Amino acid sequence: MSDFQIRLSGSGGQGLQLAAEILAGAMLSVGKRVAQSISYEPTSRGGLSRSDLVIGDEAVDYPLVTDLDCLLILDQIAVDGSLDIIRPSTVVLMDSDRVTAAPKVECKLVSMALVRAAQGIGNVRTANIIALSALAELSGFCQAATLRQMVEERMPPRFVALNLDALAKGIELARSAGSPE
Amino acid sequence: MSDVAQSEFNIRKYIREDLFPHFMCPGCGHGIALRALLNAVHNLGIDKNRLAIVSGIGCSGRVGAYIDANTFHTTHGRPLAFATGLKLARPDLEVIVITGDGDCLAIGGNHLIHACRRNLNITCLMLNNEVYGMTGGQVSPTTSTDRFTTTTQSGNYEPVFDACKLAEGAGAAFVGREMTLQTPALRDLIMEAIAHEGFSFVEVLSDCTEVFGRKNDMGDSMEMVLAQKSGFRSNSYGTAVDEPFKPRGMKTGVLHRSERLEYAAAYQQHHAEKSST
Amino acid sequence: MSTDQNLQNLQGNRACALAAIHAGCRLFAGYPITPSSEIAESMSAELPKVGGVFVQMEDEIASMGAVIGASAGGVKAMTATSGPGFSLKQEALGYAALTEIPSVIINVMRGGPSTGMPTRPAQGDIMQARWGTHGDHPTVVLVPWSVEEVFAETIRAFNLAELLRTPVIILFDEVIGHLVETVDLARFQNPQITDRKWADGKIEGFKPYRDPGDGVPMMARPGDGRRVHTTGLSHGESGFPTQNAGEVEKFMSRLLGKIAKHRDEVERIDARCCDDADVVVVAYGITARAAHRAVSMLRDQGIKAGLFRPITLWPFPESAFKAVAEHARLVLVPEMNAGQLILEVERLVSDKTTVAGLNLFYGEPITPQQIVEKAEALLSQ
């Protein structure tokens, strides 16, 4: 039960599956074992979308999340579905614009304008990477250098520079937010 | 190949005689179609070990069993789907589908249009007898207007499919139609269809004396095929069918041919190009 | 912590496609359907690289037809689908069973009936996989519980299909299909591959459905000069249709009995902590992953629990299960359906054992906690 559990949630089209894939690759590259599962609705865009990771030193026995260590919420639609598995120790990072009613359970909540930051660096689609980077910085489950390496390996060449900016932006936001309450 | 082709056609070399007597009713046109097909196979010098006959369900579906080849009697409406897999797996086989108007145009209609579109090198013979004979004479998509069947007891009120126009519209590389009365012409048409690269569709105008002709007072087999002859226009190398839903105005002979790239060749070419770049 | 070159993150659906190619599959015919489409997508990319053929057919029925046609031609072939498509393939599945043409069918189960919940997991096709096509027929169904096991069982499915000349179905649910796990495929480098017994020897007098002893006839390869007839009509040893009662009875007995003759190769189970178990949880697929966790949670509380997991679901591994269930007070069968495998389980236990289901079918996987709570509630009764 010492597995580390992360959920990236929001609405379809926000790039959460890609972010989870990059994180899974990053964890593999540092010798961890992962189980990554998805939940989505039968629409290509919009609707609830989430990607969960269970990360362990050994092969993961139960691959689905039960008690989250970290939770990203990029859209209001994703709030309710996670309430049962948020613990007082869970680090919850939510988008301050897209999430209007924060989860009403005890947790370590951090709120940031992630999507706005993505618009700020020139592409709203980088919100997923900004969020991933910020979450990793806040809770320390993955080194920034490892994520950078994975973005360079996995992203199409023309998007690498943009996503490296997004990683940097995420770290900047996390540092200015201070430690989670 | 040439040895066989030069010898005289002897149907006994191509049939499973031990299965006789056959199941067909007296006067049924399917036996003539079978003979024309085997004569074409002979004339083309096709090795019967390399011949695969795929059929569906119905009277047409039972014809294939009499051919001394690799014969597959599949499920209702699906011989083209089965044949597609077989031909893709074994391009060395000569794959010929024998189907009927119900098998091909009703339950198997979707497979027909996509087989035409895909253009795999298969020959499809549709034996059109205007009726579901095996099940007792129900209306089919090619039953002529006003005809009596067991499910149109006051006469058929549904429009009729023009199978050749359908096949051409869907992209078949070769389309032709012939009646069983013109046996040499039918044989030659089938030869051309088999020889043509790509998907070839041949509608054979057969006749069902027993459950269709009798119910419609159409007389015996000879009367039926002569009536058929008077209703069709021989039009070798004609172009498109100009009067849809009017079977009596349909043309016979080669109705369409194109040199569109055959599916397996297209597949090979595409993936060879992609892997070399 | 060191990085291992053999480890990779692999999705269940993709693992299935890669394993199929590894097992010798050279034709895939399919039709898009959630949540199985990644199998077709992977096949479309991978098969041309090994000289194989991918074809997206016009519908589910055509896909199954093309697979059977390809296999009849001697090429190992597979299709993949989900509930609605699996329903559509049933007639052709029966044809493959009767004509004894090997094939592999993947059904990534989703919520049903009808269109149901396309993106949600379910285990509602357990009985359809067993009895879906009309008439009595042999059935082999495998149910992997992890990405690595999807890989292993896909290879085994092809081997069993060839060995038994029968369609083999793999059932997994949406969670397993879309699950990405870190896997080590090194042990699959040189898998054991079974190929069909092709007819050899004398062509004259060859009987395509004669029993050589193990219940599985030798298959004639089109082009080998045997020129056999293959039909979905009931047939005898000659392959030609018959309605002769004696011939049909003999044929059907062989057809239905051939799986039992190879029971050792077909059956596969995973039993954990069952030797002293008072409570045996019978589970498969993703539910077995939850049950496995639940068993250790129950053990932590001092409850002697065990997991019995059929990897081969049909034929159900009867004797292995009976041996485990014999001493159990309680057999709990959690399923993402309204109670399907439990019917088979109930049939096999004595009156002394209580059998109970945990049946949740609203599109969410069953959690370890739900299984623990159900077991506790039953034990306190």
Side-chain angles (χ1 to χ4, degrees):
Chain A
M1 308 247 189
S2 57
D3 294 337
F4 196 84
Q5 303 185 2
I6 302 171
R7 167 168 288 176
L8 308 179
S9 67
S11 67
Q14 287 184 318
L16 297 162
Q17 315 297 352
L18 176 63
E21 194 186 309
I22 284 172
L23 179 54
M27 300 318 290
L28 176 68
S29 76
V30 296
K32 298 281 188 183
R33 305 286 193 100
V34 304
Q36 180 203 333
S37 59
I38 62 172
S39 183
Y40 64 111
E41 291 181 343
T43 51
S44 290
R45 293 290 176 267
L48 172 66
S49 173
R50 60 190 191 215
S51 193
D52 299 345
L53 284 101
V54 181
I55 300 161
D57 290 330
E58 302 295 329
V60 173
D61 75 333
Y62 184 61
L64 306 182
V65 294
T66 52
D67 306 88
L68 290 174
D69 293 288
C70 285
L71 170 64
L72 169 69
I73 310 175
L74 273 185
D75 193 287
Q76 185 65 41
I77 196 173
V79 172
D80 287 351
S82 298
L83 294 178
D84 288 349
I85 53 172
I86 296 175
R87 305 289 169 249
S89 60
T90 308
V91 174
V92 178
L93 171 61
M94 65 173 217
D95 189 281
S96 53
D97 298 330
R98 300 293 171 106
V99 181
T100 46
K104 291 187 176 56
V105 288
E106 192 189 342
C107 63
K108 295 177 177 173
L109 186 67
V110 187
S111 183
M112 294 176 190
L114 297 159
V115 174
R116 224 188 303 151
Q119 286 160 341
I121 66 166
N123 192 329
V124 70
R125 286 182 168 255
T126 59
N128 57 344
I129 301 300
I130 294 175
L132 176 63
S133 174
L135 197 58
E137 181 68 18
L138 286 172
S139 53
F141 54 77
C142 187
Q143 301 273 325
T146 314
L147 285 179
R148 272 202 299 277
Q149 187 192 332
M150 209 43 54
V151 159
E152 283 166 358
E153 278 178 25
R154 295 287 175 93
M155 291 281 186
R158 62 200 173 103
F159 291 125
V160 168
L162 178 66
N163 281 288
L164 290 177
D165 287 351
L167 286 175
K169 189 73 194 173
I171 293 169
E172 182 193 317
L173 287 173
R175 286 183 180 160
S176 60
S179 58
E181 299 293 320
Chain B
M1 179 169 166
S2 56
D3 287 352
V4 186
Q6 281 161 11
S7 65
E8 202 169 314
F9 173 58
N10 175 3
I11 195 167
R12 287 168 180 259
K13 287 184 179 168
Y14 294 93
I15 55 170
R16 291 169 171 151
E17 274 194 80
D18 49 346
L19 294 189
F20 280 67
H22 60 71
F23 81 102
M24 286 170 271
C25 305
C28 171
H30 287 13
I32 302 171
L34 173 61
R35 185 184 174 88
L37 167 63
L38 295 180
N39 200 342
V41 164
H42 172 84
N43 288 1
L44 290 168
I46 296 167
D47 174 4
K48 61 187 184 179
N49 290 330
R50 298 267 161 208
L51 176 63
I53 304 289
V54 183
S55 63
I57 296 294
C59 295
S60 66
R62 294 291 190 104
V63 170
Y66 298 100
I67 302 175
D68 185 19
N70 306 281
T71 51
F72 301 94
H73 179 217
T74 69
T75 54
H76 197 16
R78 320 300 171 198
L80 284 169
F82 185 101
T84 298
L86 181 63
K87 184 66 182 179
L88 286 171
R90 293 291 302 278
D92 59 312
L93 299 175
E94 190 66 63
V95 178
I96 297 173
V97 169
I98 302 177
T99 177
D101 39 305
D103 198 54
C104 187
L105 298 176
I107 189 167
N110 199 26
H111 309 309
L112 173 66
I113 58 175
H114 288 276
C116 293
R117 175 182 65 84
R118 216 172 268 123
N119 199 32
L120 190 61
N121 195 14
I122 292 171
T123 302
C124 176
L125 295 191
M126 188 190 85
L127 311 186
N128 179 4
N129 62 3
E130 293 193 44
V131 77
Y132 286 83
M134 185 69 82
T135 46
Q138 296 80 16
V139 69
S140 97
T142 59
T143 305
S144 302
T145 308
D146 297 334
R147 289 297 184 198
F148 300 107
T149 73
T150 55
T151 48
T152 54
Q153 298 195 14
S154 57
N156 180 28
Y157 41 85
E158 288 200 9
V160 177
F161 244 140
D162 182 334
C164 289
K165 195 165 192 190
L166 179 68
E168 185 190 340
F174 181 99
V175 179
R177 178 189 288 127
E178 196 48 82
M179 58 190 88
T180 53
L181 185 69
Q182 309 283 12
T183 313
L186 176 60
R187 175 200 61 208
D188 294 348
L189 181 67
I190 295 171
M191 281 175 67
E192 279 199 69
I194 294 172
H196 195 90
E197 278 291 302
F199 187 79
S200 301
F201 180 81
V202 175
E203 177 180 3
V204 182
L205 297 161
S206 187
D207 64 289
C208 173
T209 48
E210 205 55 26
V211 301
F212 186 71
R214 228 157 39 135
K215 203 169 182 70
N216 287 285
D217 291 327
M218 295 167 83
D220 64 13
S221 181
M222 190 49 76
E223 287 174 86
M224 281 183 79
V225 293
L226 286 173
Q228 209 174 49
K229 190 187 175 195
S230 67
F232 285 86
R233 286 180 282 143
S234 177
N235 184 37
S236 290
Y237 305 100
T239 52
V241 179
D242 45 20
E243 288 182 275
F245 304 119
K246 280 199 174 174
R248 303 274 147 211
M250 284 177 179
K251 296 167 181 174
T252 58
V254 178
L255 304 176
H256 170 78
R257 66 166 93 221
S258 83
E259 303 302 322
R260 201 155 68 81
L261 191 59
E262 191 268 341
Y263 183 86
Y267 187 93
Q268 296 283 344
Q269 192 176 311
H270 174 86
H271 289 294
E273 280 169 10
K274 293 289 167 191
S275 64
S276 65
T277 51
Chain C
M1 250 174 8
S2 65
T3 56
D4 186 332
Q5 291 302 312
N6 289 322
L7 294 180
Q8 58 174 305
N9 289 344
L10 187 63
Q11 188 206 45
N13 279 344
R14 185 160 166 78
C16 177
L18 297 180
I21 291 173
H22 215 49
C25 176
R26 288 298 177 269
L27 184 137
F28 180 97
Y31 187 80
I33 185 166
T34 302
S36 79
S37 295
E38 293 86 356
I39 300 175
E41 289 163 3
S42 294
M43 283 306 222
S44 75
E46 301 297 332
L47 270 172
K49 294 181 193 166
V50 294
V53 177
F54 166 87
V55 60
Q56 183 169 312
M57 295 298 286
E58 54 272 19
D59 60 36
E60 295 277 1
I61 299 170
S63 305
M64 191 63 212
V67 162
I68 298 169
S71 182
V75 168
K76 292 184 188 177
M78 177 173 99
T79 187
T81 187
S82 185
F86 193 54
S87 296
L88 286 165
K89 293 183 194 301
Q90 292 299 332
E91 186 200 9
L93 248 164
Y95 179 84
L98 181 76
T99 54
E100 301 181 71
I101 298 174
S103 51
V104 174
I105 302 96
I106 311 297
N107 174 8
V108 186
M109 290 182 287
R110 68 191 222 186
S114 190
T115 310
M117 290 182 282
T119 65
R120 299 289 187 170
Q123 296 178 315
D125 303 344
I126 303 309
M127 285 302 176
Q128 191 189 12
R130 175 65 192 89
W131 297 113
T133 196
H134 57 282
D136 292 301
H137 55 277
T139 307
V140 178
V141 179
L142 314 178
V143 275
W145 78 334
S146 67
V147 173
E148 195 162 310
E149 201 167 87
V150 165
F151 199 94
E153 291 303 292
T154 302
I155 294 174
R156 199 165 75 95
F158 275 94
N159 287 346
L160 290 175
E162 296 290 316
L163 174 76
L164 301 163
R165 279 189 64 180
T166 200
V168 173
I169 295 160
I170 305 183
L171 293 180
F172 42 92
D173 52 80
E174 183 275 334
V175 174
I176 298 292
H178 284 148
L179 186 65
V180 174
E181 289 190 284
T182 307
V183 294
D184 179 358
L185 299 181
R187 74 184 169 100
F188 300 108
Q189 213 101 64
N190 296 299
Q192 193 194 325
I193 298 296
T194 307
D195 286 314
R196 218 169 294 182
K197 284 184 299 184
W198 292 110
D200 53 12
K202 226 172 73 181
I203 290 179
E204 196 66 29
F206 173 73
K207 298 275 190 236
Y209 291 96
R210 176 175 287 164
D211 184 358
D214 71 342
V216 184
M218 315 276 266
M219 194 157 168
R221 193 173 194 275
D224 71 358
R226 284 180 176 76
R227 301 190 302 275
V228 303
H229 185 56
T230 303
T231 177
L233 287 164
S234 296
H235 45 269
E237 283 188 346
S238 69
F240 291 104
T242 181
Q243 298 199 28
N244 175 292
E247 255 191 292
V248 173
E249 199 274 336
K250 187 180 168 197
F251 179 90
M252 287 302 291
S253 299
R254 178 187 60 72
L255 186 74
L256 298 172
K258 68 180 176 179
I259 309 294
K261 284 195 170 185
H262 294 270
R263 198 169 266 274
D264 289 348
E265 289 126 302
V266 175
E267 284 187 3
R268 185 173 282 188
I269 64 138
D270 178 18
R272 299 178 184 220
C273 309
C274 282
D275 291 347
D276 64 343
D278 295 326
V279 180
V280 172
V281 185
V282 179
Y284 48 92
I286 186 63
T287 308
R289 297 288 284 271
H292 185 222
R293 169 67 65 87
V295 161
S296 54
M297 289 162 74
L298 287 165
R299 289 254 166 195
D300 287 346
Q301 297 173 32
I303 296 167
K304 288 178 183 168
L307 169 67
F308 182 86
R309 180 169 76 89
I311 301 172
T312 304
L313 193 70
W314 302 115
F316 190 75
E318 279 190 32
S319 42
F321 172 68
K322 277 182 179 168
V324 161
E326 205 174 17
H327 305 293
R329 276 171 60 202
L330 171 66
V331 174
L332 177 58
V333 191
E335 298 182 84
M336 282 190 274
N337 58 43
Q340 296 193 12
L341 192 66
I342 194 173
L343 301 172
E344 185 74 359
V345 168
E346 280 169 340
R347 190 174 75 76
L348 297 168
V349 299
S350 70
D351 297 345
K352 290 177 288 182
T353 310
T354 305
V355 177
L358 170 60
N359 301 101
L360 306 178
F361 35 86
Y362 43 67
E364 296 287 345
I366 296 173
T367 67
Q369 190 61 36
Q370 286 169 327
I371 296 171
V372 167
E373 283 165 13
K374 183 75 181 181
E376 286 171 343
L378 289 162
L379 288 171
S380 66
Q381 274 173 14

